[in-house]
Amino acid sequence: MRISVLGVGYVGLILSVSLADFGFEVTGIDIDNKKIDKLKRGKSVLHEDGLNKLLEKHVNKNLTFTTSYESVTSSDIIFLCVGTPQNKNGEANLNFLFSAADKIKAYLDRKEYKVIVIKSTVPVGTNRKIKELFSDYNIDVVSNPEFLREGIALQDFFNPKRIVLGFESLKNKRPIILMEEVYNYFKEKDVPFIITKWETAELIKYASNAFLATKISYVNELSKLADKVGADIKIISHSMGLDPRIGNKFLNAGIGYGGSCFPKDVRALIRQFEDNRVEPTLIKATDKVNEEQIIWFFNKIKEYFNNNINQKTFAVLGLAFKPNTDDLRESRGIKLIDLLLKEGAIVKGFDYVEKARENAINIYKSDKSEASYGYNLYILDNIYETVKDVDGIVITTEYNFNKEDWEKIKKLIKNKVVFDGRNTLDAGKIKKLGFEYYGVGR
Ligand code: UGA
């Protein structure tokens, strides 16, 4: 089977290498010349565990990369994996998707049967609109949302919890059989297949992401009360999670969720409610709590310094939106750096991932950055250099910082205080060493 993958960003690249690993003939297409050049040489453009290895194994064998759309002509299946970023009003921007669909038209024979699969996260009704674009073509459109987590995307791809496939009609077996063939590896592993109609499949993705985001916002809201009354949110979360009806995942209080998915998808879902004149009370609150959480934590830091952090120096540990990624989109660490810089603080930023540090440097260099108020910012590649002579440490990404030498940090730091925005540290141990410790709700 020949497969084309249009858009080799995060989702498209993981999909391309994985389908190649299943043995299919895969062509990854992207308009970004630089990216394609690098991929052709078997070099990954993302920081993702195991990706380089799979690329090297398949590239220029059953996996090729190109900027030309021509390969769609001979493909049985065309996956659309382009980005659907957020518009100013919160809705998903579908320009890339429709432009990609439009471009491939020129390469298709109207009579030849093909399946177009939409993997991009798209609002309800999008699959139907894409089908309308191809109304005079022999094409079926399939909705196939993805549930990969950055940092462990390949592991997630090969161990999915479900395969969701949405079709125009369940009576038409042809696209169903073809998609089951693509994902036969998972059929054999007894992974649940959800075969449903377009609208349901489209909503499953938003429903899942917004639910996880709501779990986080719920525990974050609780953390503020725990903080006030002297309770420990970590113990509360742990205890709640022991009840299998609640589950122990995504209950870690912190400074809020970030990344390219949760913030954007929560807002896009709000828009879909509003467009359909249904009030999204709970989901709106999820977004609001998330935006407020970082401000609440920042105020906590400020209060410690009697509301004046001008010329105070902070070590901010964690730049990416979560560990083991270089992705800074909607990163709470970057938001916090912005807040600190705006009030005259000096920031020394650190992340274990080199590319995350490079990306942070680029954000602040860029003229387009909101943070154009002068850069009292230094990005360092050594954690001990970062904490040297600072007035406080702020933890913004949930790395295991316990493994660092806190005896050494104690000697290097000017003022022994830690603001743990991810509740990652062993608070007892840190306090014993003579640090003041402020977590989230504990
Ligand atoms: C998320 C979903 O988990 C994936 O299933 C989905 O496929 C993906 O979005 C997507 O739509 O493409 P991802 O954005 O990689 O994946 O990140 P997560 O691991 O879900 O973490 C998101 C944010 O939540 C991070 O900022 C993390 O720090 C925060 N988080 C997570 C918490 O604050 N507390 C928790 O308990 C868990």
Side-chain angles (χ1 to χ4, degrees):
M1 193 184 303
R2 285 173 178 277
I3 297 175
S4 284
V5 177
L6 235 146
V8 283
Y10 207 83
V11 174
L13 185 53
I14 299 292
L15 179 74
S16 303
V17 295
S18 305
L19 291 179
D21 209 47
F22 285 164
F24 298 116
E25 287 290 325
V26 182
T27 308
I29 309 170
D30 205 291
I31 48 171
D32 185 337
N33 265 313
K34 260 194 189 158
K35 190 192 278 183
I36 291 296
D37 272 355
K38 215 170 161 194
L39 290 170
K40 272 181 176 167
R41 284 183 276 122
K43 297 271 167 275
S44 172
V45 286
L46 300 170
H47 179 92
E48 193 65 46
D49 245 16
L51 185 55
N52 268 323
K53 218 170 116 194
L54 273 192
L55 260 174
E56 277 165 24
K57 188 169 160 199
H58 297 290
V59 86
N60 301 326
K61 288 168 200 147
N62 63 333
L63 174 62
T64 47
F65 292 100
T66 172
T67 51
S68 148
Y69 286 71
E70 220 175 305
S71 72
V72 300
T73 312
S74 54
S75 291
D76 306 289
I77 300 188
I78 304 156
F79 278 91
L80 298 186
C81 301
V82 296
T84 52
Q86 186 187 302
N87 271 345
K88 275 217 168 86
N89 59 5
E91 71 185 358
N93 179 334
L94 300 176
N95 290 348
F96 294 126
L97 187 78
F98 284 110
S99 131
D102 224 34
K103 274 188 197 147
I104 56 177
K105 258 186 165 179
Y107 296 92
L108 300 182
D109 177 335
R110 277 167 215 266
K111 293 202 186 76
E112 214 179 311
Y113 182 72
K114 308 239 180 262
V115 168
I116 293 179
V117 186
I118 302 188
K119 263 233 167 259
S120 312
T121 301
V122 293
V124 179
T126 308
N127 279 264
R128 196 170 290 282
K129 283 185 192 151
I130 294 287
K131 172 74 198 218
E132 277 163 18
L133 266 182
F134 291 93
S135 57
D136 49 349
Y137 284 72
N138 188 12
I139 270 174
D140 276 313
V141 175
V142 179
S143 164
N144 174 214
E146 62 80 26
F147 303 95
L148 310 174
R149 285 165 297 174
E150 286 191 24
I152 45 169
L154 279 169
Q155 196 183 310
D156 275 354
F157 185 91
F158 287 104
N159 300 284
K161 300 286 174 284
R162 72 287 211 196
I163 299 291
V164 176
L165 296 167
F167 301 89
E168 181 175 19
S169 154
L170 301 188
K171 284 187 196 135
N172 175 12
K173 298 292 176 218
R174 194 169 179 187
I176 302 180
I177 292 167
L178 206 65
M179 290 311 293
E180 285 183 335
E181 206 182 308
V182 171
Y183 291 130
N184 186 47
Y185 173 85
F186 302 127
K187 265 242 125 125
E188 283 174 355
K189 284 180 111 188
D190 284 335
V191 172
F193 274 55
I194 313 294
I195 309 281
T196 183
K197 53 185 184 179
W198 283 332
E199 289 75 9
T200 309
E202 288 166 331
L203 263 187
I204 287 172
K205 168 70 190 216
Y206 283 105
S208 305
N209 271 4
F211 183 76
L212 292 171
T214 301
K215 253 184 129 176
I216 298 170
S217 276
Y218 176 76
V219 82
N220 279 343
E221 182 161 274
L222 263 179
S223 73
K224 294 195 249 183
L225 179 63
D227 222 74
K228 268 263 155 72
V229 300
D232 188 331
I233 195 71
K234 254 194 134 165
I235 300 172
I236 296 171
S237 291
H238 171 69
S239 179
M240 283 168 67
L242 291 174
D243 182 337
R245 291 173 305 171
I246 297 173
N248 60 5
K249 304 278 189 330
F250 282 71
L251 276 186
N252 295 325
I255 49 174
Y257 57 78
S260 65
C261 305
F262 283 179
K264 154 178 100 71
D265 291 351
V266 164
R267 287 175 206 141
L269 184 58
I270 291 172
R271 276 301 303 242
Q272 290 171 70
F273 268 80
E274 289 173 347
D275 289 348
N276 289 285
R277 289 179 296 282
V278 182
E279 184 53 32
T281 313
L282 179 63
I283 303 162
K284 262 187 180 165
T286 295
D287 186 35
K288 187 166 181 271
V289 170
N290 197 54
E291 288 309 301
E292 286 171 359
Q293 189 73 2
I294 184 96
I295 308 286
W296 169 78
F297 192 68
F298 174 62
N299 285 337
K300 214 168 138 160
I301 299 172
K302 263 177 41 179
E303 267 165 38
Y304 175 89
F305 293 98
N306 295 322
N307 287 318
N308 184 5
I309 54 167
N310 191 32
Q311 293 302 305
K312 295 274 181 242
T313 306
F314 293 92
V316 173
L317 305 185
L319 301 167
F321 84 96
K322 70 173 192 181
N324 304 321
T325 167
D326 58 9
D327 197 340
L328 264 44
R329 285 176 287 179
E330 294 268 351
S331 157
R332 299 294 106 176
I334 296 294
K335 282 231 166 185
L336 196 88
I337 290 177
D338 283 350
L339 290 167
L340 290 166
L341 290 176
K342 258 184 195 152
E343 300 220 3
I346 300 156
V347 176
K348 294 165 84 181
F350 171 81
D351 197 291
Y352 288 109
V353 176
E354 186 185 349
K355 190 85 196 325
R357 300 195 296 267
E358 277 173 30
N359 289 344
I361 292 169
N362 287 334
I363 284 189
Y364 287 93
K365 263 195 199 153
S366 145
D367 291 333
K368 280 186 226 144
S369 164
E370 270 180 48
S372 51
Y373 31 78
Y375 308 130
N376 276 325
L377 173 70
Y378 305 86
I379 303 292
L380 296 143
D381 57 9
N382 177 302
I383 195 164
Y384 299 107
E385 276 299 312
T386 312
V387 299
K388 199 167 166 227
D389 294 331
V390 298
D391 295 292
I393 292 174
V394 190
I395 293 179
T396 45
T397 307
E398 52 271 63
Y399 282 111
N400 178 16
F401 290 107
N402 287 301
K403 67 177 200 288
E404 297 297 342
D405 183 348
W406 284 86
E407 282 281 3
K408 187 171 170 183
I409 293 175
K410 184 179 150 182
K411 286 180 196 134
L412 290 166
I413 199 166
K414 188 158 89 192
N415 179 37
K416 290 192 281 300
V417 61
V418 183
F419 301 95
D420 185 356
R422 294 293 178 185
N423 289 346
T424 54
L425 286 182
D426 179 340
K429 193 178 136 195
I430 291 293
K431 284 183 197 162
K432 245 192 207 151
L433 278 172
F435 282 90
E436 286 179 88
Y437 176 89
Y438 296 91
V440 174
R442 61 198 291 243

